[in-house]
Amino acid sequence: MDIREFLKKDQFAASNGIELVDVRKGYARAKLVVEERHLNAGGIVQGGALFTLADLCFAAAVNSHGALTVSLQSNIYYFRSETVGATLYAESRELDLHNKVCTYQIDITNDDGQLIASFTATGFRKTVPLPFEPVE
Amino acid sequence: MDIREFLKKDQFAASNGIELVDVRKGYARAKLVVEERHLNAGGIVQGGALFTLADLCFAAAVNSHGALTVSLQSNIYYFRSETVGATLYAESRELDLHNKVCTYQIDITNDDGQLIASFTATGFRKTVPLPFEPVE
Amino acid sequence: MDIREFLKKDQFAASNGIELVDVRKGYARAKLVVEERHLNAGGIVQGGALFTLADLCFAAAVNSHGALTVSLQSNIYYFRSETVGATLYAESRELDLHNKVCTYQIDITNDDGQLIASFTATGFRKTVPLPFEPVE
Amino acid sequence: MDIREFLKKDQFAASNGIELVDVRKGYARAKLVVEERHLNAGGIVQGGALFTLADLCFAAAVNSHGALTVSLQSNIYYFRSETVGATLYAESRELDLHNKVCTYQIDITNDDGQLIASFTATGFRKTVPLPFEPVE
């Protein structure tokens, strides 16, 4: 099993239509095409849908290093609202990688390259055996 | 339409089984029973599911004041993992309410009252007409 | 050397008039009397002064457990501004304590008990020898 | 009075040796040379000193737009520790600018260009008259 197959087991992301489109060592990109089911009561994409898109991207980027990594905390800033039909991309940027702790920032953009939201998270790198093959 | 009916239109929360159990002026409580579909690849509840639970609770609490409120940013801290069968509750606490801006903290606890995660968000209160009847 | 003496070596806090008033296991309280030198250009207490007050309180609370603890990240929410003459108190609340990681929330209040700011931080607990006697 | 003179009235930044080195419309850069007085009890630069460096840079960048702007919340992530003799720079990046709200990210780097800390803040833009001449 490689990391892509492992992360297909993220049922919350998968059942909400969030897809991993690229994973390399220390990097990931994920995608969400906004449908009715992703909207909040105000008719725009729910914050939790944006958060989940970013979180899957974070999980792929951090686990690509070959240490099982859990999230300690995250924050998200919202800049623009989107609605049905928009395609949103999450792309990771490694800010810091230490032995036990790492920090990644995930930008969410739309098809026009506009910044929709910015997410940052702290990962804690466990010393348990990896449940998948490391990324080369 | 009252605020409960309005928030039933939050399709992301509803389609993920998140339910509002109480709304009063400046206060809300929401609930999630963890199923397979809420898990991440590691077999524990996905951060995005916890975030969405807290975010619906936040939306109910802030909008109860009678001003349409959008989220500017949120952060979430994770303390314990939960898996299938757990019932999780999100409960709001108003930290601050100004004319244009408000801050709420949402605690997520399990059935044993253990703190699972803590979420804080800043809301921006718009001056558009409310799409529902104010909470008395 | 006990933890109070150790934290007196925090020169940034000390040189800015921030004082530790109580330290117990998992708990601390700190104090700042606002002077001209703590103000920003708008004539209110600078965010960095509030942050430093909270950060010293955090350092005392987390290190009281007997593991040298460094901060990974912090956030602060501002609710009210204060100016010269106000006495501000920071008080810690332990949200979570694991073997390697802990999370504390610090409330800053004024003499009337009003909430001025709320600070949360994630600490990483190192496995180096403590440079002071543990708190009983 | 221009914005540089206005921000010299930030007594907390000034009294702690933090200096604004560049301000343009939507952009600022600030500097801190680490001395003994900026250290914490562990002998590294205190989080509050880094925070204050970033906060002054944020204040300059956001106020440069010609609307008096206050901070609603900030977060800071720490990546590396520095000590006496290091020169630290804070540089702003505008993530978002709306009519009432803006978000800026401030990177703190050392002389070798290494990322020391990353700070993000939400500003609220007031509709009061500016106490200084707008930046052209």
Side-chain angles (χ1 to χ4, degrees):
Chain A
M1 182 161 63
D2 75 1
I3 191 174
R4 289 163 202 79
E5 292 169 278
F6 175 69
L7 286 167
K8 277 187 188 151
K9 296 175 18 185
D10 186 319
Q11 297 180 60
F12 191 68
S15 70
N16 283 297
I18 294 168
E19 193 188 338
L20 210 50
V21 290
D22 195 5
V23 191
R24 280 173 278 145
K25 212 174 176 64
Y27 172 83
R29 196 158 187 256
K31 180 178 150 183
L32 171 68
V33 179
V34 180
E35 303 167 19
E36 289 279 346
R37 61 172 168 157
H38 300 113
L39 304 186
N40 68 14
I44 57 171
V45 62
Q46 225 259 14
L50 296 174
F51 186 95
T52 306
L53 171 62
D55 204 46
L56 181 72
C57 183
F58 171 75
V62 297
N63 282 296
S64 72
H65 283 292
L68 193 66
T69 304
V70 294
S71 184
L72 297 178
Q73 70 77 234
S74 306
N75 69 65
I76 187 167
Y77 288 86
Y78 304 106
F79 305 133
R80 283 168 168 271
S81 58
E82 289 284 354
T83 189
V84 174
T87 303
L88 303 179
Y89 297 96
E91 185 166 29
S92 74
R93 189 159 63 95
E94 186 176 295
L95 299 183
D96 187 53
L97 181 70
H98 277 84
N99 187 40
K100 296 301 292 174
V101 173
C102 61
T103 307
Y104 276 73
Q105 186 160 358
I106 316 290
D107 279 351
I108 297 179
T109 50
N110 63 14
D111 257 332
D112 297 329
Q114 292 171 311
L115 193 59
I116 303 305
S118 177
F119 167 104
T120 310
T122 309
F124 181 74
R125 311 176 75 206
K126 295 190 157 188
T127 47
V128 298
L130 253 195
F132 52 85
E133 297 300 310
V135 177
E136 295 309 324
Chain B
M1 183 162 63
D2 75 1
I3 192 173
R4 290 163 201 80
E5 291 169 278
F6 175 69
L7 287 167
K8 279 186 187 153
K9 295 174 21 183
D10 187 320
Q11 298 180 60
F12 191 69
S15 69
N16 283 297
I18 295 167
E19 192 189 338
L20 209 51
V21 290
D22 195 4
V23 191
R24 280 172 277 143
K25 211 173 177 65
Y27 173 83
R29 196 157 188 256
K31 180 179 151 182
L32 171 68
V33 179
V34 180
E35 303 167 20
E36 290 278 347
R37 61 170 169 159
H38 300 114
L39 303 186
N40 68 14
I44 57 170
V45 62
Q46 224 259 12
L50 295 174
F51 186 94
T52 306
L53 171 63
D55 205 45
L56 181 74
C57 183
F58 172 74
V62 296
N63 281 295
S64 72
H65 283 293
L68 193 66
T69 303
V70 294
S71 184
L72 298 178
Q73 70 78 233
S74 304
N75 68 65
I76 187 165
Y77 288 86
Y78 304 106
F79 306 132
R80 283 168 168 270
S81 57
E82 288 285 353
T83 190
V84 174
T87 301
L88 303 179
Y89 297 96
E91 183 166 30
S92 74
R93 188 160 62 98
E94 186 176 297
L95 298 184
D96 186 53
L97 181 70
H98 278 84
N99 189 39
K100 297 300 292 174
V101 174
C102 60
T103 306
Y104 276 74
Q105 185 159 359
I106 316 291
D107 280 352
I108 297 179
T109 50
N110 63 13
D111 257 334
D112 297 329
Q114 291 172 312
L115 193 59
I116 303 305
S118 176
F119 166 106
T120 311
T122 310
F124 181 73
R125 311 177 75 205
K126 293 188 157 189
T127 48
V128 299
L130 254 194
F132 53 85
E133 299 299 311
V135 177
E136 295 310 325
Chain C
M1 182 162 61
D2 74 1
I3 191 173
R4 289 162 202 80
E5 291 169 279
F6 175 70
L7 286 168
K8 278 187 188 152
K9 296 174 20 183
D10 186 320
Q11 298 180 60
F12 190 69
S15 71
N16 284 297
I18 294 168
E19 193 189 337
L20 210 50
V21 290
D22 196 5
V23 190
R24 281 171 277 144
K25 210 172 178 67
Y27 172 84
R29 197 157 186 256
K31 179 178 152 183
L32 170 68
V33 179
V34 181
E35 302 167 20
E36 290 279 345
R37 62 173 169 154
H38 300 112
L39 303 187
N40 68 14
I44 57 171
V45 62
Q46 224 260 13
L50 296 174
F51 186 94
T52 306
L53 171 61
D55 205 46
L56 181 72
C57 182
F58 172 75
V62 296
N63 282 295
S64 72
H65 283 292
L68 194 65
T69 304
V70 293
S71 184
L72 298 178
Q73 69 78 233
S74 305
N75 69 65
I76 187 166
Y77 287 86
Y78 304 106
F79 306 132
R80 283 168 168 272
S81 56
E82 289 284 354
T83 190
V84 173
T87 302
L88 302 180
Y89 297 96
E91 184 166 30
S92 74
R93 189 159 63 96
E94 185 176 296
L95 299 184
D96 188 53
L97 182 70
H98 277 83
N99 188 38
K100 297 300 291 174
V101 174
C102 62
T103 307
Y104 275 74
Q105 186 159 359
I106 315 292
D107 279 351
I108 297 180
T109 51
N110 64 13
D111 257 333
D112 297 329
Q114 290 172 310
L115 193 60
I116 304 305
S118 176
F119 166 104
T120 311
T122 310
F124 181 74
R125 311 177 74 204
K126 295 188 156 189
T127 48
V128 299
L130 253 193
F132 52 85
E133 298 299 312
V135 177
E136 295 311 324
Chain D
M1 181 162 64
D2 74 1
I3 192 174
R4 289 163 201 78
E5 292 170 278
F6 175 69
L7 287 168
K8 279 187 187 152
K9 296 174 17 185
D10 187 319
Q11 298 180 61
F12 191 68
S15 70
N16 283 298
I18 294 168
E19 192 188 337
L20 209 50
V21 290
D22 196 4
V23 190
R24 280 173 278 144
K25 211 172 176 65
Y27 172 83
R29 199 159 184 255
K31 180 179 152 183
L32 170 68
V33 179
V34 180
E35 302 166 21
E36 290 279 347
R37 61 171 167 157
H38 299 113
L39 304 186
N40 67 15
I44 58 170
V45 61
Q46 223 259 14
L50 296 174
F51 186 95
T52 306
L53 171 61
D55 205 46
L56 181 72
C57 183
F58 171 75
V62 296
N63 282 295
S64 72
H65 283 292
L68 193 66
T69 304
V70 294
S71 185
L72 298 178
Q73 70 78 233
S74 305
N75 69 66
I76 187 165
Y77 288 86
Y78 304 106
F79 306 132
R80 284 168 167 272
S81 57
E82 290 283 355
T83 189
V84 173
T87 302
L88 303 179
Y89 296 97
E91 184 167 28
S92 73
R93 188 160 63 96
E94 186 176 296
L95 299 184
D96 186 54
L97 182 69
H98 277 84
N99 188 40
K100 297 300 293 172
V101 174
C102 62
T103 307
Y104 275 74
Q105 186 160 358
I106 315 292
D107 279 352
I108 297 180
T109 51
N110 64 13
D111 258 332
D112 297 329
Q114 291 171 311
L115 193 60
I116 303 306
S118 176
F119 167 104
T120 311
T122 309
F124 181 74
R125 311 176 75 205
K126 294 189 158 187
T127 48
V128 299
L130 255 193
F132 53 84
E133 297 299 311
V135 177
E136 295 309 326

